[in-house]
Amino acid sequence: MRILVIDDDPDIRGFLKEKLSSEGFTVDTAGDGAEGSYMARVNEYDALILDNVMPRKNGKEVLKEVRASGKNMPVLALSVMCDIDDKIELLDLGADDYITKPFSAKELVSRLRALVRRPAQIILPVLTAGDLVLDTARQRAIVGEREVYLTRKEFALAECLLRSAGAIVSRGTLLESVWESDADHLSNTIEVHMRNLRRKIDGDSRRKIIHTAPGRGYWIGVQDKVMR
């Protein structure tokens, strides 16, 4: 899951990035409303964490621009304000939930997970392909009868492929979904992580789950023949 945190407080940005990364999220950050609005409109995110009081553009302005651009990802609004009218205005503009500073990190993560699970028929907690079972809620991967350890990046790669099971996922899509926005698109980081993921999931099995579509990307499934 890729999250964008928009907050002008560097301590809060750093804290949320560290906390959410430890929970398995991929996190980008923006330090003001104008930067955050642009990033939210040109990239694909599973959710936004949005401060209300910021320089250049406040949270309400960012919400208006993001929703006007057609983006419908969940938005969790943050603010030191506790006035009920302020909360209602943010919700009316398109925020999905609201939490007041100072907040509990545990509560914020719980609310964020609840938001990204909606709608339940699309965001499935357990994904499967052949002998592979990926439990996204518990961050567990099981192949056949054995549990395998996946790093956060490997788990995110497997989840991205499984959510598009049977379809080719391009290298660019994997970079945008799994790595932060400042990742080096020319590096071989995907190939390295994919090689490790294959070793752990496919092992020596003749019936492979992860496949390469040369020049186009990767796909996951139990077919024996390579897609053309």
Side-chain angles (χ1 to χ4, degrees):
M1 294 288 181
R2 190 181 183 194
I3 309 299
L4 174 62
V5 175
I6 309 174
D7 196 301
D8 64 320
D9 187 326
D11 291 333
I12 291 179
R13 289 199 309 276
F15 169 73
L16 288 177
K17 185 177 179 74
E18 181 179 359
K19 175 62 178 176
L20 293 173
S21 296
S22 72
E23 295 287 337
F25 294 96
T26 299
V27 185
D28 290 344
T29 63
D32 62 64
E35 180 188 18
S37 175
Y38 174 77
M39 292 177 66
R41 286 180 284 116
V42 302
N43 298 306
E44 294 297 326
Y45 292 103
D46 295 291
L48 304 184
I49 297 178
L50 175 65
D51 188 24
N52 185 32
V53 180
M54 293 184 292
R56 299 180 70 189
K57 289 181 181 177
N58 61 35
K60 296 169 188 175
E61 293 173 304
V62 173
L63 265 175
K64 289 179 183 178
E65 293 181 350
V66 169
R67 294 309 188 206
S69 71
K71 298 287 187 177
N72 60 1
M73 78 286 278
V75 175
L76 176 61
L78 305 177
S79 180
V80 294
M81 299 180 183
C82 58
D83 184 80
I84 188 65
D85 291 332
D86 187 62
K87 295 180 181 180
I88 291 173
E89 187 175 0
L90 280 164
L91 294 171
D92 286 344
L93 288 171
D96 296 271
D97 199 0
Y98 188 108
I99 191 168
T100 303
K101 297 178 181 179
F103 52 83
S104 159
K106 189 173 181 179
E107 180 186 2
L108 183 142
V109 171
S110 177
R111 291 196 185 203
L112 183 61
R113 289 199 183 279
L115 289 178
V116 298
R117 282 198 299 267
R118 303 175 189 169
Q121 66 270 25
I122 294 177
I123 307 300
L124 300 175
V126 178
L127 306 167
T128 63
D131 291 334
L132 172 63
V133 177
L134 208 66
D135 185 336
T136 62
R138 298 180 181 179
Q139 294 284 292
R140 297 176 62 208
I142 299 171
V143 179
E145 300 296 325
R146 63 187 177 91
E147 182 171 351
V148 297
Y149 169 75
L150 300 181
T151 67
R152 287 201 299 267
K153 296 301 186 188
E154 290 165 357
F155 194 96
L157 275 175
E159 180 179 354
C160 186
L161 290 172
L162 279 166
R163 292 199 183 279
S164 300
I168 295 172
V169 182
S170 71
R171 190 177 184 278
T173 297
L174 290 172
L175 274 170
E176 290 178 359
S177 300
V178 178
W179 276 266
E180 285 77 11
S181 59
D182 58 355
D184 183 0
H185 286 226
L186 298 178
S187 73
N188 68 340
T189 186
I190 284 184
E191 289 74 18
V192 171
H193 282 81
M194 196 65 71
R195 183 166 60 248
N196 291 335
L197 185 62
R198 276 180 161 142
R199 176 176 53 80
K200 294 178 180 181
I201 291 177
D202 287 335
D204 297 326
S205 173
R206 293 182 179 180
R207 192 170 177 81
K208 304 301 183 183
I209 295 176
I210 301 174
H211 309 269
T212 300
R216 292 188 286 169
Y218 301 89
W219 62 281
I220 198 164
V222 294
Q223 293 93 332
D224 291 320
K225 294 182 179 180
V226 175
M227 294 179 65
R228 297 186 183 277

